[in-house]
């Protein structure tokens, strides 16, 4: 009996791990992944991420100068929400971080630029480690606070991953419903516009025939 219980537990755990791995490969779970990009000598470089509501976001960034490693240029950073709210702003820094919980769904944008007096500093590279949702959770603190470790901690992580998958599927379903509604409204408007255009063409054609008939009658051609 105990062996059957252990076998079922192992099978369920393996299935859960396989499910999470599959959805991770499908990019349905936000994954922490640092990105590197170059900041132009003049202008602004921005990156954006579409995030749903009530999601924790944690990011770290730092700057290096590939041409002159001993001289690290200073940059300014600004993070805005989909409705233009300022979530983070810093000036003249070589590194920094920002953290917030989203209050609205949409594209969150982080922009970086060099100060005016450093526009000739050479090639400036910035590393941005953007963590979202389950990836931003501090599992070490959770383990210490709740005094869990080993398999129990792994199961807690898997539970969080499954919840993240569930939330993402709900978000995608809501977005699909919104897009379908917009598409149906657009199709209805196009159909009404086509009907109105056809009716207008018929009215113009009738008016032209009536006008030509009166013209020919006045000229006594018919």
């Amino acid at each position: 009996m105990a062996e059957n219980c252990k076998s079922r537990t192992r099978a369920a755990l393996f299935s859960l791990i396989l499910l999470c791995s599959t959805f991770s490969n499908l990019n349905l779970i936000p994954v922490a992944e640092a990105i590197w990009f170059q900041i132009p000598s003049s202008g602004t470089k921005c990156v954006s991420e579409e995030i749903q509501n009530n999601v924790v976001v944690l990011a770290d960034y730092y700057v290096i100068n590939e041409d002159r490693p001993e001289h690290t240029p200073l940059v300014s950073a600004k993070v805005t929400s989909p409705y233009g709210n300022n979530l983070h702003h810093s000036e003249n820094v070589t590194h920094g971080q920002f953290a917030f919980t989203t209050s609205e769904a949409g594209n969150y944008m982080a922009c970086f630029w060099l100060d005016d007096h450093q526009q000739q500093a050479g090639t400036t590279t910035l590393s941005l480690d953007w963590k979202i949702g389950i990836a931003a959770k501090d599992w070490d603190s959770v383990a210490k606070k709740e005094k869990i470790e080993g398999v129990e901690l792994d199961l807690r992580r898997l539970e969080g991953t499954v919840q993240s998958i569930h939330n993402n599927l709900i978000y995608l379903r809501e977005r699909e419903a919104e897009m379908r509604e917009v598409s149906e409204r657009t199709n209805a408007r196009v159909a009404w516009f086509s009907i109105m255009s056809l009716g207008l063409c018929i009215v113009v054609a009738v008016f032209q025939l009536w006008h030509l008939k009166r013209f020919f009658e006045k000229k006594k051609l018919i």
Side-chain angles (χ1 to χ4, degrees), residues 76-101:
S76 298
K78 185 177 182 180
V79 182
T80 55
S81 70
Y83 293 99
N85 297 321
N86 190 11
L87 302 175
H88 171 76
H89 182 74
S90 60
E91 296 182 354
N92 302 326
V93 296
T94 58
H95 60 86
Q97 62 180 6
F98 54 87
F100 57 88
T101 301

Side-chain angles (χ1 to χ4, degrees), residues 71-138:
H71 175 71
T72 302
L74 302 177
V75 299
S76 298
K78 185 177 182 180
V79 182
T80 55
S81 70
Y83 293 99
N85 297 321
N86 190 11
L87 302 175
H88 171 76
H89 182 74
S90 60
E91 296 182 354
N92 302 326
V93 296
T94 58
H95 60 86
Q97 62 180 6
F98 54 87
F100 57 88
T101 301
T102 60
S103 59
E104 53 202 35
N107 284 322
Y108 286 78
M109 183 173 295
C111 295
F112 305 88
W113 65 92
L114 292 172
D115 294 334
D116 293 337
H117 65 280
Q118 297 186 105
Q119 289 186 354
Q120 303 300 324
T123 302
T124 303
T125 303
L126 185 139
S127 173
L128 176 63
D129 187 8
W130 188 296
K131 300 178 182 178
I132 303 172
I134 193 69
K137 195 167 185 177
D138 188 357

Side-chain angles (χ1 to χ4, degrees), residues 185-205:
R185 287 203 306 265
T186 303
N187 290 336
R189 291 174 181 176
V190 170
W192 278 109
F193 180 77
S194 300
I195 294 173
M196 292 176 61
S197 299
L198 180 60
L200 181 62
C201 291
I202 294 174
V203 171
V204 171

Side-chain angles (χ1 to χ4, degrees), residues 34-75:
I35 57 175
W36 294 76
F37 55 88
Q38 292 184 352
I39 302 177
S41 59
S42 61
T44 304
K45 183 72 173 183
C46 296
V47 294
S48 64
E49 183 77 19
E50 184 175 358
I51 311 174
Q52 56 182 301
N53 187 28
N54 197 26
V55 174
V56 177
V57 178
L58 178 65
D60 295 276
Y61 58 91
Y62 63 91
V63 187
I64 63 173
N65 189 348
E66 296 179 352
D67 297 335
R68 298 172 58 188
E70 71 282 356
H71 175 71
T72 302
L74 302 177
V75 299

